[in-house]
Amino acid sequence: MCGIVGYVGREQAAPILLEGLSRLEYRGYDSAGVAVCSAGEGRLEVAKAKGRLKILSDMLHGGADISGTTGIGHTRWATHGAPSDVNSHPQVSRSGRIAVVHNGIIENYAELKAFLKEQGIPFASETDTEVVAQLIEYFLETDKVGLLEAVGRVLRRIEGAYALGIVSADVPGQIIAVRKDSPLILGQGQDFHMLASDVTAIIQHTRDVIYLEDGELAVLTTEGIQCYSQLMVPIEKKVSHVDWEIDAAEKGGYEHFMFKEIMEQPDALRRAISPRIAEGQVVLEDFHLDEAYLKSLEKIYIVACGSSYHVGMVEKYIFERLLRIPVEVALASEFRYMEPIVTQRTLVVVISQSGETLDSMAALREAKRLGAKVLSVVNVVGSSIARESDQVLYTWAGPEIAVATTKGYSTQLAVLDLLALYLGRLLGTVSQETYDQGVAALEALPEQMERVLERREDIQYYASQYFNHNSVFFIGRNLDYAMGLEGSLKLKEISYIHSEAYASGELKHGTISLIEEGTLVIALGTCGRLFDKAMSNVAEVRSRGADVLALTTESRQEDMAHAASGVITIPDAAEIALPSLGVVPLQLFAYYVALMRGCDIDKPRNLAKSVTVE
Ligand code: AGP
């Protein structure tokens, strides 16, 4: 989704903006632009270009062609109007003296545009954002107010989701920042201040950040940041310190962020798991949901999107087995429209790597409105979902840059596995043996995952055998089915191969008609108690001509080798740890296939890292 960066200080802004935008490229975009104010001359220069940021950067000779020490920059992911130079941001007012960058959607833009057109104001673009720039200028001219007041008047009229950065040629040396339902952080430095849609864009300059709450506004100058409440009352905000290292957001010698992040998983899991286990017990120090409330729970709802939803699908099986409480998993984009049955005795678990996914955020608010408590599992510290939840458990995976999540997914699984064991013990629903096995399995997980990663050449070999297939089926039962959902998504999002995940038993109810000579079926059979069933399903599809690549545990390798064309193995482990181990070969398979097909792995077409529009 769109990325925003802004800088006001003593340095030339354009090179800093371009560098910041390059760190936001991972979010997904189709055009880029900057607007820079030069104080002395009261001049505002705007440069924009469709396509990769490099086009804009080359056009401006790395920023040298545009001078001024205050500026805003943007990478656009088109919503209103096709990707084009004119629809790119910054969008400017009729006079060209106000420039705006925006992430989100102004829902009532058509009505506002019609009003402005009636006043004789011409529009240059098809974007909803241009309305904001034009409306600010309209209030400046007709109401004779200052810039801040004009912005305030605009905010009272626009509806929707927005993070905005605004500059004016008439007030150089100042940026106005606003947010509602779209991410925006402010960076505090010595003699400079910044804004950005995420911390990766500014971390090279400062780690001291301010998180704006919904409806809040800020004025940034070289000297400081003044924040205002929704009612335009000056407020003091807490400054937080981000402890991510800049290296964590760089490739560090790897060809792709996705591969780097796959390889980082054992360490990410250590960070997520080790501090939460002490002397064989799960210890959730930062967990403060009331014991009586937890004991009164009648239902758990897990709500998320994409891969995070797939984590929810795995955890439904684990939670229900360990807690004997009904668990429903809902797509966040559906949740608020389905009249969910949520009461004060429902715990809603929102899973989100970014903590900024708009659908998940909306579901969280709906859950709270209905009286539930919300526990979120989030990677990005201080993100919107984390801040609005009653309880947050961080995954501590470090920054995830590749659009296709890997370490985000596996650390979410680990944190929820820990939570399931913790609650199982608290509610008395888990046996001592299962608890001990689960804790030991999670402690052993990072090291076992290292062993899976060491065998990556086997996966590379299978990828070379199958990368030309145009359609792939993932089948499995129970935890293997849930894991297949993620394997299938990984493959389709980065390699563009059509792929489906099916519960093995469901195949014969329709989909098996698609199996023909040479169809690739990836059969997942890691779950020991269902292994015989997995074997039967392999036989079922092979007898119809399918080429079967199977995934199972080391102890079952030989048996599976009789049935499948190829077998990939993971170490034997307690059931709770199998999806975490099993997903790694599937991530690697998707990665190598995409590599062999020449795909843009870190920035797959049409996708964005953090989906901040509905
Ligand atoms: C997965 O590879 C995707 N990037 C996507 O499905 C992602 O998991 C989804 O958009 C949810 O994101 P979140 O975890 O940041 O909320």
Side-chain angles (χ1 to χ4, degrees), residues 304-310 350-358 360 377 380 385 400 402-406 409 412 486 489-490 493-494 607-611:
C305 303
S307 295
S308 298
Y309 170 79
H310 296 156
V350 175
I351 310 172
S352 176
Q353 185 283 128
S354 63
E356 299 293 352
T357 302
L358 191 93
S360 304
V377 176
V380 179
I385 289 175
E400 191 178 62
V403 164
T405 181
T406 52
Y409 174 91
Q412 287 168 350
E486 177 60 7
L489 178 65
K490 284 282 90 69
E493 71 181 327
I494 60 166
L607 293 180
K609 180 67 182 163
S610 147
V611 183

Side-chain angles (χ1 to χ4, degrees), residues 298-319:
E298 285 174 344
K299 179 173 166 181
I300 296 175
Y301 238 125
I302 303 183
V303 186
C305 303
S307 295
S308 298
Y309 170 79
H310 296 156
V311 168
M313 291 294 285
V314 170
E315 295 301 332
K316 172 184 166 67
Y317 291 112
I318 292 174
F319 273 57

Side-chain angles (χ1 to χ4, degrees), residues 544-560:
R544 283 153 180 91
D547 216 351
V548 178
L549 176 60
L551 175 77
T552 189
T553 53
E554 283 161 0
S555 64
R556 312 264 178 182
Q557 180 174 18
E558 254 181 56
D559 291 341
M560 189 56 102

Side-chain angles (χ1 to χ4, degrees), residues 365-379:
R365 288 180 181 161
E366 177 65 2
K368 286 182 94 171
R369 191 185 69 79
L370 294 169
K373 284 212 189 313
V374 175
L375 179 157
S376 64
V377 176
V378 172
N379 189 34

Side-chain angles (χ1 to χ4, degrees), residues 105 141 255 532 611:
I105 290 178
E141 286 173 1
E255 199 181 336
D532 291 343
V611 183

